[in-house]
Amino acid sequence: MRKVQLGAITLQYTNAEAAVGTLQAGADIVLGPQNFVEAFDAVVKAVEDGVLTEQRIDQSVRRILKLKKEIGR
């Protein structure tokens, strides 16, 4: 099976910018970052710097857990 990556975002933004921007735009999960560690570190730094709030991350976690409970996972 061949893995297909969509590159439109990464042509415009770094991996770190894309990860943080995804969450700023309201997504709950950053899917398929090119470099997971870089994306994770950028999100942590964004929270530390106040670009993203812990409350924003907590909202996503609650929605994800709620959905997992609803589908029995």
Side-chain angles (χ1 to χ4, degrees):
M1 176 183 262
R2 186 170 72 102
K3 185 176 180 182
V4 176
Q5 295 258 331
L6 301 178
I9 298 297
T10 56
L11 290 175
Q12 298 284 327
Y13 303 97
T14 67
N15 192 54
E17 291 169 334
V20 173
T22 296
L23 297 173
Q24 286 177 314
D28 291 326
I29 299 174
V30 178
L31 294 176
Q34 290 182 340
N35 181 319
F36 176 80
V37 173
E38 182 183 345
F40 177 85
D41 289 346
V43 171
V44 170
K45 185 172 183 336
V47 172
E48 291 173 346
D49 293 347
V51 174
L52 289 169
T53 65
E54 283 188 51
Q55 291 78 17
R56 168 65 189 87
I57 302 300
D58 289 345
Q59 288 172 345
S60 288
V61 170
R62 281 192 293 276
R63 283 192 292 261
I64 292 164
L65 291 175
K66 180 182 175 196
L67 181 60
K68 287 181 72 155
K69 183 178 179 183
E70 288 173 4
I71 62 173
R73 299 256 175 165

